[in-house]
Amino acid sequence: MTNMKKRNPNLLHALLIFIVFSLALTACGWDQDPPNKGNGSSNASSNGGSGNTAATNEGNSGTNTDHSANAAPEASGPVELLNVSYDPTRELYEAYNKLFAAYWKTEHNQEVTIKQSHAGSGAQSRAVIDGLDADVVTLALGYDIDAIADKGLIDKDWQQKFDNNSSPYTSTIVFLVRKGNPKGIKDWNDLVKPGVQVITPNPKTSGGARWNYLAAWGYALKQNNDDEEKAKEFVKALFKNVPVLDSGARGSTTTFVEKGIGDVLLAWENEALLSVKELGPDKFDIVYPSISILAEPPVAVVDKNVDKKGTREVAEAYLDYLYTEEAQKLVAQNFYRPQLASVAEQFADQFPDIPMLNIDDDFGGWAQAQKKHFADGGVFDQIYAPGS
Amino acid sequence: MAGGAVTVQLSEKAAHRPKHITESVGVRIVLISIALLFLVLVVLLPLLSVFIEAFKKGADVYFAALRDPDALSALRLTLTTAIIAVPLNTVFGIAAAWAISKFRFRGKNILITLIDLPFAVSPVISGLVFVLLFGAQGFFGQWLQAHDIKLIFALPGIVLATTFVTFPFVARELIPLMQAQGVQEEEAAASLGARGFQIFWRVTLPNIKWGLLYGVILCNARAMGEFGAVSVVSGHIRGETNTLPLHIEILYNEYQFAASFAVASLLVMLAVLTLIVKSFIEWRTNAKSPERSADDAH
């Protein structure tokens, strides 16, 4: 018992140190929060690194005085938007958010901070349904926005709200192969050959993978005079050659590019161009198949959320501004195909013209394609048996 | 840590062991080298590679990655989460272990099973459970929205998921220890006239302190490192709801490999820091009362 008296102070000591330590840390945590919230622009450009932040801040304080002198009627407080997007748009929106924040600042003399959230398109759609407070969604395919609209968060006619089916940019599906194309992959029928390993994400979870799948399906139909049984056999043979089925497009890219698995990656054109740029043109080649599919990643304002937060005006402007020439150039620089003809012409070298299937004309729209191919018990479930 | 004291004692004993019951030199060398090799391959090498990758593009890139506002916000969120979740689970763990090991009551086994539950289910499920409960479509979703309370895709959700996942660590560490110690010392204290809290503070707590500390450290390590459950409830909003592990994944997926390993090394250093704090407390206590470690082992 006498021992215990000696022990106690030590333990007390330790506990006290721990408590003080944690309190100090929490205090730091809370202290640093407010300036962050007040300082809108630093967050908008936060991804660009600390050097940039300082620059934008200076620039902003400069423009600030300019515009209060100019016109700018309402110098309203800072506003925050949340853009819930899918995997491969990270680089695009990182750049676009800066552009838009600067534009909004000059036009409305208001700081706008755009927060980004990225994950697989289907998962993001689910998160918004479950209460992720998105002001705008910029997803991989219309079906994922339809799913949100079904829950009443977005108006049913969202696809008519912005130009080009609410798709400010398009893309397509291409093949990324190892440098020199050692397996001689030229077109879709090369993918079903024995000994060719194909990397694609899982169509059940990935938007990009659904485009991959439908492009292969469309090709097979064309080759076999619309014989669906033959097309089924074709995609079945294709997925037999898939050793790893990742859940998202970026995961598949990492599998192919970083881990070195597979001979060909079915990828978004923008994702393929980005990989080549980021990881060296000496490592990979891009192959354009004889026919591919026009992928239209759409955008929408989440009506229920913006009305609750009072951010409708800026949210709509955010999506509208995507169609302007400046934004479209950014779109093209980030390897998406721009909608604006003048910009498209400028970047024609980057985006070869190939025949493309179209989801509405060739597959009867997303709702139908989804039901037929990707719903439980659909064609994909019939042809794909894991591990077979 | 009780384990540490035990090993120290064993090795001392082993040195004095009579020849006829020790293994031959050859066997000992083989055993030690297998253990060392395994440790180097499985623990040291991956840890080293984190730091090598992190500094691959030079110290500038390394420190830029750590100074990045998103990384700082992730660090802050991770620490905040751990600071809320770990004390909660410590208090709960002591209470549960105390109840289970010192008292008899109905449904004790059910309580033990419940404590183990977070170990048994996948972290992803642990996250989804909270989305199902508190998400906009969940059981309490309507009510929460009506009152403008945000749990999921915000700090409370992340803390909840982390607390859930790390919930068994302290209790699991303490229950076997306290069961082995039995209730004699407490009974003796009670018969000498000590009251409930007095018994706890002067008898029970000193007896379990190493086990408790070890549990807290494990709990903290997991709280800072948890990925699956947090990923489900985080919403992945940059600079806001990304914890360090989530931020590492983002950087990795954005081809910023050096930066991602730089942040990973930060997480490793946080873990090392907790170990240092642990050793420091251990050392101070042992230095002040050298006979204590022998006592604790019993």
Side-chain angles (χ1 to χ4, degrees):
Chain A
M1 284 292 138
T2 44
N3 285 347
M4 247 150 31
K5 274 185 188 155
K6 259 195 251 164
R7 241 181 273 176
N8 263 333
N10 289 322
L11 194 73
L12 248 165
H13 224 85
L15 270 174
L16 268 177
I17 292 174
F18 180 73
I19 290 167
V20 168
F21 184 64
S22 37
L23 278 179
L25 274 173
T26 345
C28 291
W30 295 132
D31 272 355
Q32 274 164 348
D33 243 0
N36 237 0
K37 276 200 176 127
N39 186 350
S41 66
S42 87
N43 268 334
S45 57
S46 60
N47 286 328
S50 42
N52 265 339
T53 318
T56 349
N57 271 346
E58 255 170 55
N60 276 342
S61 53
T63 42
N64 205 351
T65 44
D66 274 0
H67 280 274
S68 48
N70 256 354
E74 8 80 75
S76 31
V79 63
E80 204 178 277
L81 286 184
L82 175 59
N83 177 3
V84 171
S85 193
Y86 63 114
D87 265 331
T89 58
R90 299 159 194 260
E91 291 79 10
L92 168 63
Y93 281 109
E94 199 179 307
Y96 174 70
N97 288 348
K98 280 179 212 159
L99 184 73
F100 178 75
Y103 156 80
W104 189 256
K105 177 84 191 161
T106 38
E107 287 292 307
H108 297 265
N109 191 27
Q110 186 184 30
E111 300 277 359
V112 57
T113 312
I114 299 118
K115 301 239 169 193
Q116 284 295 138
S117 168
H118 297 273
S121 186
Q124 292 293 69
S125 158
R126 189 65 235 179
V128 173
I129 291 171
D130 282 328
L132 184 56
D133 247 348
D135 296 276
V136 298
V137 284
T138 52
L139 296 179
L141 41 90
Y143 182 79
D144 289 329
I145 299 186
D146 280 338
I148 306 172
D150 279 346
K151 298 284 177 188
L153 294 170
I154 297 176
D155 285 346
K156 291 268 182 204
D157 60 344
W158 61 270
Q159 199 134 30
Q160 272 71 57
K161 294 244 169 102
F162 297 95
D163 292 342
N164 307 101
N165 270 336
S166 289
S167 307
Y169 40 81
T170 64
S171 192
T172 188
I173 299 300
V174 299
F175 303 163
L176 190 68
V177 297
R178 313 239 170 244
K179 190 75 197 172
N181 199 355
K183 296 261 169 147
I185 293 155
K186 294 265 176 290
D187 205 354
W188 292 98
N189 54 358
D190 293 318
L191 303 183
V192 298
K193 286 182 181 158
V196 174
Q197 285 198 323
V198 184
I199 303 294
T200 170
N202 187 346
K204 287 269 184 181
T205 54
S206 155
R210 278 176 245 176
W211 293 110
N212 294 346
Y213 170 98
L214 288 178
W217 178 267
Y219 167 85
L221 278 186
K222 294 243 153 142
Q223 291 290 304
N224 296 298
N225 300 317
D226 291 336
D227 184 342
E228 291 222 339
E229 282 309 310
K230 290 259 174 69
K232 252 188 211 178
E233 268 168 39
F234 182 83
V235 285
K236 184 172 185 170
L238 197 161
F239 275 91
K240 246 196 169 132
N241 281 347
V242 178
V244 197
L245 213 52
D246 284 291
S247 66
R250 203 37 83 82
S252 280
T253 309
T254 319
T255 299
F256 182 76
V257 164
E258 272 291 300
K259 299 182 190 150
I261 298 172
D263 303 307
V264 52
L265 171 74
L266 305 188
W268 293 98
E269 182 182 44
N270 54 285
E271 191 74 357
L273 287 165
L274 180 72
S275 321
V276 170
K277 180 192 142 200
E278 290 281 336
L279 302 151
D282 51 329
K283 286 186 187 149
F284 305 101
D285 284 327
I286 293 174
V287 173
Y288 282 85
S290 66
I291 185 166
S292 191
I293 191 163
L294 176 70
E296 295 180 300
V299 300
V301 168
V302 185
D303 297 286
K304 210 174 159 195
N305 290 349
V306 293
D307 288 342
K308 196 169 90 188
K309 297 205 264 180
T311 48
R312 176 175 286 282
E313 193 197 356
V314 56
E316 279 173 354
Y318 177 74
L319 295 184
D320 253 335
Y321 195 67
L322 274 169
Y323 291 89
T324 61
E325 192 173 341
E326 273 175 304
Q328 290 280 302
K329 269 187 192 156
L330 214 56
V331 157
Q333 279 157 12
N334 283 282
F335 310 118
Y336 284 86
R337 295 188 174 216
Q339 294 278 20
L340 203 66
S342 60
V343 180
E345 232 167 77
Q346 231 178 300
F347 287 86
D349 292 349
Q350 194 176 312
F351 304 112
D353 211 4
I354 56 167
M356 287 188 206
L357 299 161
N358 177 310
I359 188 77
D360 288 323
D361 303 339
D362 297 290
F363 298 93
W366 264 113
Q368 207 180 318
Q370 176 78 20
K371 199 169 148 219
K372 179 171 175 184
H373 292 280
F374 309 118
D376 285 336
V379 178
F380 181 71
D381 277 349
Q382 295 164 30
I383 61 115
Y384 184 73
S388 72
Chain B
M1 170 180 90
V6 171
T7 32
V8 169
Q9 249 210 332
L10 280 184
S11 54
E12 274 165 10
K13 264 192 189 158
H16 301 301
R17 250 194 323 201
K19 273 227 167 90
H20 66 278
I21 55 164
T22 45
E23 299 294 343
S24 71
V25 180
V27 172
R28 271 192 284 173
I29 289 176
V30 168
L31 277 178
I32 291 172
S33 40
I34 286 176
L36 265 182
L37 195 74
F38 190 76
L39 213 68
V40 168
L41 274 180
V42 176
V43 180
L44 212 60
L45 219 61
L47 273 186
L48 263 180
S49 74
V50 166
F51 284 93
I52 291 170
E53 283 287 330
F55 281 103
K56 219 174 187 174
K57 292 195 176 162
D60 288 354
V61 175
Y62 181 84
F63 288 109
L66 297 189
R67 271 200 309 268
D68 183 81
D70 280 1
L72 289 178
S73 118
L75 175 65
R76 211 179 306 129
L77 181 63
T78 297
L79 290 177
T80 314
T81 308
I83 281 160
I84 302 172
V86 173
L88 269 182
N89 280 336
T90 307
V91 170
F92 166 80
I94 294 173
W98 167 270
I100 284 168
S101 58
K102 310 279 173 181
F103 301 97
R104 285 190 209 162
F105 55 92
R106 258 166 206 270
K108 196 167 167 177
N109 282 327
I110 297 176
L111 183 60
I112 297 179
T113 315
L114 277 178
I115 291 173
D116 276 341
L117 196 68
F119 273 165
V121 298
S122 150
V124 178
I125 309 291
S126 317
L128 276 178
V129 166
F130 290 105
V131 174
L132 287 177
L133 278 179
F134 305 121
Q137 313 292 320
F139 293 123
F140 304 110
Q142 293 290 328
W143 187 87
L144 287 172
Q145 278 201 323
H147 291 77
D148 216 16
I149 301 170
K150 276 198 69 70
L151 285 185
I152 300 301
F153 309 123
L155 177 69
I158 294 170
V159 172
L160 264 179
T162 307
T163 312
F164 181 84
V165 171
T166 57
F167 169 94
F169 282 94
V170 175
R172 263 287 139 206
E173 198 63 38
L174 290 183
I175 291 169
L177 182 68
M178 289 170 83
Q179 269 172 343
Q181 284 170 350
V183 295
Q184 290 96 327
E185 287 194 32
E186 276 84 358
E187 279 171 357
S191 70
L192 289 171
R195 279 167 295 117
F197 185 73
Q198 239 178 338
I199 298 178
F200 172 74
W201 191 250
R202 311 197 119 186
V203 180
T204 312
L205 200 57
N207 276 336
I208 61 167
K209 64 179 171 188
W210 293 123
L212 177 63
L213 197 63
Y214 195 58
V216 168
I217 283 161
L218 281 182
C219 182
N220 183 55
R222 181 65 189 270
M224 292 196 298
E226 177 54 28
F227 178 84
V230 170
S231 173
V232 175
V233 297
S234 121
H236 305 281
I237 306 169
R238 289 162 182 232
E240 203 169 297
T241 63
N242 277 322
T243 59
L244 276 184
L246 298 181
H247 186 62
I248 291 167
E249 191 210 18
I250 284 176
L251 290 173
Y252 188 79
N253 278 342
E254 282 180 354
Y255 305 111
Q256 304 184 44
F257 303 119
S260 111
F261 281 105
V263 180
S265 75
L266 184 69
L267 204 54
V268 170
M269 284 188 287
L270 276 178
V272 172
L273 188 77
T274 29
L275 288 180
I276 290 174
V277 169
K278 187 210 90 179
S279 310
F280 178 74
I281 298 172
E282 209 169 57
W283 168 75
R284 282 210 40 152
T285 320
N286 283 341
K288 279 199 174 169
S289 44
E291 81 280 16
R292 196 86 309 107
S293 65
D295 261 21
D296 280 341
H298 294 299

